[in-house]
């Protein structure tokens, strides 16, 4: 039963990391990961669940159970090379948004401020354990930037976590983060982020640029509104 539980979560984590690897490849080739997802999802042997590319997975289960399986395998003299690759791919994916931001604004982000929407590792929870948002925030601050972040539920947790850190402000609402920010990064796919007031966003941001770690918007639509749009694995 224990092995089955670990194996189930590890399988789902593998699907996520696989799609993230495919998204990065699709982007390099000029393909669209959404078209790839729809194509392979029609195969009943694969199905449509856990096939969404993004900024990596976190939480208390998937990363922990992938690590646990590796330890179990090592103790049994059966190293699980696939699980090691899944973990490495997921950790690398958490840096993708930060990499896109630095590619656009430069490696030195001193004097810049970025809005971050979403802190929890997934919607409908305040759990920030292993959350991709933490990696993004760390990458931005390490490059000299400051961060204004908002999460509908995890704000209280975040204020405790970042207490005393002057490089990050936890805002009371999504719009507040945009004021005086150079760009917006979306890390958690909360429902309230799916249909924002784009006109207000554009007027508040210094640069009308969205780095979308969850592919919430249609690229053509957002760009037609005058935004620079940087999704994961979508056509540029």
């Amino acid at each position: 039963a224990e092995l089955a539980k670990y194996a189930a979560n590890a399988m789902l984590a593998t699907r996520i990391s696989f799609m993230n690897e495919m998204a990065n490849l699709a982007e390099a080739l000029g393909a669209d990961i959404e078209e790839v997802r729809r194509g392979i999802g029609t195969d009943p042997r694969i199905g449509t669940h856990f096939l969404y590319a993004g900024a990596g997975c976190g939480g208390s289960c998937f990363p922990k159970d992938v690590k646990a399986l590796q330890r179990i395998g090592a103790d049994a003299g059966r190293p699980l090379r696939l699980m090691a690759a899944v973990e490495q791919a997921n950790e690398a994916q958490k840096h993708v948004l930060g990499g896109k931001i630095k590619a656009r604004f430069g490696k030195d982000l001193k004097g810049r401020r970025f809005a971050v929407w979403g802190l929890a590792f997934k919607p409908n929870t305040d759990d920030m354990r292993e959350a991709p948002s933490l990696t993004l925030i760390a990458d931005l601050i390490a490059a000299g930037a400051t961060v204004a972040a908002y999460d509908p539920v995890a704000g209280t947790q975040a204020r405790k976590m970042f207490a005393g850190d002057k490089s990050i402000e936890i805002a009371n609402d999504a719009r507040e983060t945009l004021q005086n920010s150079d760009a917006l990064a979306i890390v958690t796919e909360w429902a309230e982020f799916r249909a924002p007031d784009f006109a207000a966003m554009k007027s508040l941001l210094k640069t009308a640029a969205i780095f979308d770690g969850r592919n919430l918007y249609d690229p053509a639509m957002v760009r037609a509104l005058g935004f620079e749009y940087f999704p994961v694995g979508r056509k540029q």
Side-chain angles (χ1 to χ4, degrees):
E2 180 182 6
L3 184 57
K5 184 261 186 185
Y6 285 145
N9 282 338
M11 173 63 79
L12 297 176
T14 300
R15 286 171 68 98
I16 293 169
S17 285
F18 176 81
M19 288 305 293
N20 285 334
E21 294 272 85
M22 291 299 102
N24 296 336
L25 178 60
E27 193 169 308
L29 297 175
D32 191 327
I33 193 60
E34 279 298 294
E35 294 175 4
V36 174
R37 179 186 66 81
R38 287 192 292 269
I40 66 175
T42 60
D43 187 328
R45 297 169 300 175
I46 296 172
T48 58
H49 297 294
F50 290 87
L51 286 186
Y52 291 90
C57 66
S60 62
C61 293
F62 289 2
K64 173 179 66 65
D65 288 356
V66 168
K67 289 182 174 71
L69 269 183
Q70 290 181 77
R71 288 194 298 270
I72 291 169
D75 291 344
R78 297 290 182 180
L80 302 180
R81 291 179 289 273
L82 179 57
M83 291 300 94
V86 168
E87 181 179 10
Q88 292 166 11
N90 188 56
E91 288 306 309
Q93 196 69 18
K94 292 180 181 181
H95 294 280
V96 163
L97 275 187
K100 288 177 179 288
I101 290 172
K102 284 185 275 191
R104 168 60 179 82
F105 290 98
K107 293 182 179 180
D108 185 354
L109 300 177
K110 290 178 182 177
R112 296 196 180 275
R113 167 184 161 111
F114 294 95
V116 173
W117 284 3
L119 294 167
F121 83 94
K122 68 176 182 178
N124 306 314
T125 182
D126 67 351
D127 192 345
M128 295 173 60
R129 286 175 287 183
E130 303 273 356
S133 63
L134 300 180
T135 300
L136 172 62
I137 290 168
D139 286 350
L140 294 176
I141 291 174
T146 58
V147 172
Y150 166 73
D151 188 282
V153 175
T156 300
Q157 284 288 99
R159 287 185 181 92
K160 294 176 182 177
M161 180 179 292
F162 293 108
D165 189 342
K166 295 182 179 179
S167 297
I168 179 168
E169 167 196 342
I170 307 301
N172 294 312
D173 59 63
R175 182 168 178 158
E176 183 182 331
T177 66
L178 304 176
Q179 189 71 46
N180 297 319
S181 288
D182 288 276
L184 166 66
I186 302 174
V187 194
T188 312
E189 63 273 33
W190 286 95
E192 72 173 84
F193 301 156
R194 293 185 179 275
D197 183 340
F198 286 106
M201 290 168 64
K202 190 174 180 182
S203 68
L204 291 169
L205 288 168
K206 289 182 179 179
T207 305
I210 301 172
F211 296 83
D212 187 354
R214 298 300 170 187
N215 291 343
L216 296 187
Y217 311 131
D218 175 73
M221 180 272 290
V222 177
R223 289 171 182 143
L225 293 174
F227 285 87
E228 295 179 54
Y229 185 56
F230 303 89
V232 179
R234 305 298 307 273
K235 289 180 180 177
Q236 298 300 313

